[in-house]
Amino acid sequence: MQHRTRTLAAVLSTTTLGLFAGGVAIAGPAAAINPCQSSNPPEYCYTDPDPGPAVPGAPGSLTAVSVLQSDVTLSWTDAPGTQTSYFVRRTVDGVATDAQLGSTATGYTDNGAPTGRTITYDVFAQNCDADGTCVNGNAARRTVTTKPAPSNAVLTSVSAAQDGYYTYPYGWTGRAVWVASGSYTLKGAAADWDTTSAIQVRLDDSGTSRTATANLTQAGFNAANPGYGDTHGFSFGWTPMSTVPGNHSACATALNVGGGSDSAPWCWGYFVDGPPTNLAITKGANTVDVAFTDASDHETGYYLQRETAQGWVSVGSSLAATTGHGARLSMREYASVGSGVCYRVLMTDAKGQTPTGSVCTP
């Protein structure tokens, strides 16, 4: 606050006269407004209010550098203007606690953050003058969610892709059939919030297990999980795939460390081509029908064959390729046959021919 002595006030109390239109002199109303301008001013006359300390600006670029289980590290750039200290206010479920820092602070680690909770941090600068008057600047805000503890291992962004084609022989014919893929690759990221280090991932397929370390770069992982780094990716190739016809599952599981348990498995299904299955025969007076289940995704056609003294010969109808697998199909020969006559279905594909087992008339 500024003050003036009685002498200065007396000088200021003199009213300036001015000439206006018509030559009339008008006295200013100073005495009615300010006692400092009266004929008897007080001993100490305060004329101007003290402006107080300057309000600092808000900290810039507030970032959560690390968000672990019970540790959160923040960083920011210096607030514009003058400040005598910084404050970090942590709010959880409406309850706020403050931490006071020095005037040059640009970071803070909260070592007592509650685990598995959503926390709001407000960072603001404070400026105080010599009289002890303080003002706060605008706050920068950041909301984070700490990791649970103890935690379970987790799998994220897992995907699978077939890598190519190959063929394999059926032992009873020496013929080759088309397999959907000879190898595949599972990719993704794995982590355990109990550690920032890489963990193991197990892949199970058809009774066989292998493990790999999730230590490859996974872009964006640290951005989504500050403090854990990007080296939590894995790329798990499996060659060869099972050669057993039918449906299979390849399952990835992140292996836990410390408290908690392994992740839930992430499974990818694939199908291995095979010859038709579940043959059934129906004999009519002048027809023979053979039904079967399509078990290939890459067949080019089906042919009905009957066993004779000269070997297997194609008879009756044929079928073109069908989309996908699993359909129940039927083929017919118009003939009157006795008991014990055997039939089979011959499947063709890009790599050759494969017959089914046979069924015989009752």
Side-chain angles (χ1 to χ4, degrees):
M1 303 285 285
Q2 297 181 2
H3 67 273
R4 295 176 176 147
T5 63
R6 180 187 301 271
T7 302
L8 178 59
V11 173
L12 292 178
S13 67
T14 303
T15 303
T16 301
L17 299 180
L19 297 178
F20 293 88
V24 178
I26 302 177
I33 296 176
N34 192 340
C36 293
Q37 296 180 350
S38 68
S39 59
N40 185 28
E43 182 67 24
Y44 292 97
C45 186
Y46 294 90
T47 58
D48 297 320
D50 188 345
V55 178
S61 304
L62 177 59
T63 302
V65 177
S66 178
V67 183
L68 306 180
Q69 291 175 327
S70 58
D71 299 282
V72 178
T73 299
L74 306 171
S75 72
W76 60 86
T77 58
D78 195 29
T82 301
Q83 59 275 341
T84 54
S85 60
Y86 280 97
F87 283 84
V88 177
R89 177 166 295 163
R90 180 183 77 191
T91 304
V92 182
D93 294 337
V95 178
T97 55
D98 288 351
Q100 184 175 5
L101 310 175
S103 61
T104 60
T106 56
Y108 172 72
T109 297
D110 183 3
N111 291 314
T115 61
R117 304 293 296 276
T118 297
I119 306 172
T120 297
Y121 290 96
D122 292 296
V123 180
F124 57 92
Q126 185 180 83
N127 188 26
C128 300
D129 63 14
D131 294 332
T133 301
C134 299
V135 291
N136 297 334
N138 290 330
R141 172 168 290 186
R142 186 80 176 186
T143 299
V144 303
T145 300
T146 52
K147 302 301 182 182
S151 64
N152 300 332
V154 296
L155 285 171
T156 63
S157 63
V158 188
S159 63
Q162 297 175 345
D163 298 329
Y165 293 93
Y166 88 119
T167 59
Y168 68 94
Y170 280 104
W172 65 88
T173 65
R175 299 287 186 176
V177 296
W178 200 250
V179 176
S181 177
S183 61
Y184 60 82
T185 300
L186 268 67
K187 296 182 178 181
D192 188 321
W193 307 132
D194 291 333
T195 176
T196 58
S197 301
I199 64 171
Q200 297 290 301
V201 177
R202 186 183 68 241
L203 183 62
D204 299 292
D205 186 348
S206 305
T208 302
S209 297
R210 302 174 187 173
T211 57
T213 303
N215 58 1
L216 304 179
T217 297
Q218 179 80 1
F221 192 86
N222 188 71
N225 306 282
Y228 285 89
D230 283 334
T231 54
H232 287 276
F234 64 89
S235 180
F236 213 145
W238 191 289
T239 305
M241 293 162 57
S242 174
T243 57
V244 177
N247 292 302
H248 297 267
S249 290
C251 296
T253 303
L255 303 183
N256 186 72
V257 296
S261 60
D262 295 345
S263 74
W266 185 94
C267 296
W268 172 72
Y270 66 91
F271 178 77
V272 176
D273 286 352
T277 60
N278 302 321
L279 269 67
I281 192 166
T282 303
K283 182 172 76 70
N286 298 298
T287 58
V288 177
D289 292 293
V290 175
F292 62 93
T293 299
D294 170 27
S296 174
D297 288 333
H298 299 90
E299 78 278 6
T300 57
Y302 293 103
Y303 297 88
L304 182 62
Q305 293 188 322
R306 174 162 46 90
E307 188 176 27
T308 68
Q310 291 75 35
W312 290 96
V313 296
S314 294
V315 296
S317 60
S318 63
L319 291 176
T322 59
T323 301
H325 63 273
R328 190 69 176 163
L329 306 175
S330 181
M331 305 177 75
R332 170 174 290 181
E333 180 189 19
Y334 290 92
S336 179
V337 300
S339 299
V341 179
C342 297
Y343 290 81
R344 72 180 186 182
V345 175
L346 181 70
M347 182 189 76
T348 62
D349 59 26
K351 298 300 181 180
Q353 300 174 336
T354 303
T356 66
S358 61
V359 292
C360 303
T361 55

